[in-house]
Amino acid sequence: MADRSGRLLENLDQIEMRVEALREAATAMEQERESLIEMIQSTQNSQEMRNICDGEKEELSLTANRLMKRTLTVTVSVDTIRNALQEDALQKATAIINEIASKVLEDLEGGRKRLQALHAACVTEAPPVPIDQKFQSVVISCALEDQKKIKRRLETLIRNMDNAEKTIKIMDHQKVDHSDLANGK
């Protein structure tokens, strides 16, 4: 009887390792999907895309749109098991991030600083920016998988803000160049 029980336990241990490997692979696929979407959007909004002729731009836009549609057809989902406290903490953290993200266009620099303070609350090494202590206590109450997703979302938002700011600076520089040309300078 103990021998049979031991074999069953060994079998379940092996299944558990495979389940964890499956969850890790699915999480990696989720991250790859997010990365592809971000890359396509970055290409669509790139300076190079603005500096090509209309015919090429149209062809590349069609290809980018086709790739985006195909990427969006991929659905991978890894659910996280949470208790009521973790569920509440995740909702609070998400609400805080969403509130800042919705106001970013009103105050780009202030929004960036707030997002960086939230991100600082998610990292273990000493960050170069102040930590949002209240947000950190909320994040610590989240499930470990949710903590990782929150950190990745903040990194993506900050990276997108940096890219948008670079694009704005390039466009402003082009406006100055064009106005100089129009004024004969």
Side-chain angles (χ1 to χ4, degrees):
M1 186 92 127
D3 188 39
R4 206 175 314 156
S5 175
R7 280 194 314 263
L8 289 171
L9 182 58
E10 187 178 307
N11 190 28
L12 289 173
D13 285 344
Q14 290 176 358
I15 291 171
E16 182 175 19
M17 288 189 302
R18 289 181 65 188
V19 166
E20 284 309 308
L22 173 66
R23 290 179 63 82
E24 288 174 15
T27 299
M29 290 175 69
E30 278 183 324
Q31 291 172 5
E32 177 65 8
R33 179 183 185 268
E34 291 171 14
S35 177
L36 288 169
I37 290 170
E38 191 174 335
M39 288 167 49
I40 294 167
Q41 289 172 337
S42 177
T43 300
Q44 288 174 318
N45 298 324
S46 72
Q47 183 61 32
E48 292 89 0
M49 197 70 134
R50 286 186 198 86
N51 291 336
I52 58 176
C53 71
D54 288 342
E56 289 176 336
K57 187 184 303 185
E58 183 179 348
E59 184 177 332
L60 292 171
S61 291
L62 289 171
T63 301
N65 288 336
R66 178 181 55 79
L67 289 171
M68 181 64 82
K69 286 177 185 174
R70 287 184 51 82
T71 304
L72 292 174
T73 65
V74 176
T75 306
V76 181
S77 177
V78 179
D79 292 332
T80 302
I81 298 170
R82 305 176 186 91
N83 61 33
L85 177 67
Q86 292 169 328
E87 185 69 44
D88 184 51
L90 177 61
Q91 289 177 0
K92 285 179 183 174
T94 302
I96 292 168
I97 295 169
N98 288 345
E99 180 183 345
I100 294 169
S102 71
K103 296 179 180 175
V104 146
L105 292 177
E106 297 169 13
D107 179 13
L108 198 62
E109 191 54 37
R112 177 194 323 285
K113 286 179 181 175
R114 287 281 296 130
L115 289 173
Q116 288 172 333
L118 297 185
H119 182 261
C122 299
V123 296
T124 53
E125 63 276 356
V129 296
I131 297 173
D132 185 317
Q133 301 287 336
K134 180 181 173 193
F135 185 73
Q136 187 174 47
S137 67
V138 171
V139 172
I140 288 171
S141 298
C142 292
L144 183 59
E145 291 174 8
D146 291 331
Q147 291 177 22
K148 292 175 184 176
K149 287 181 180 178
I150 289 167
K151 180 182 173 193
R152 277 196 314 272
R153 180 172 180 216
L154 289 166
E155 289 168 347
T156 300
L157 286 169
I158 292 167
R159 193 170 43 252
N160 288 345
M161 285 183 67
D162 291 342
N163 291 339
E165 189 172 304
K166 287 176 190 171
T167 301
I168 290 168
K169 285 180 182 176
I170 289 169
M171 291 175 72
D172 281 347
H173 182 70
Q174 284 179 339
K175 285 181 187 174
V176 170
D177 290 346
H178 288 306
S179 66
D180 286 349
L181 289 174
N183 293 330
K185 294 182 183 177

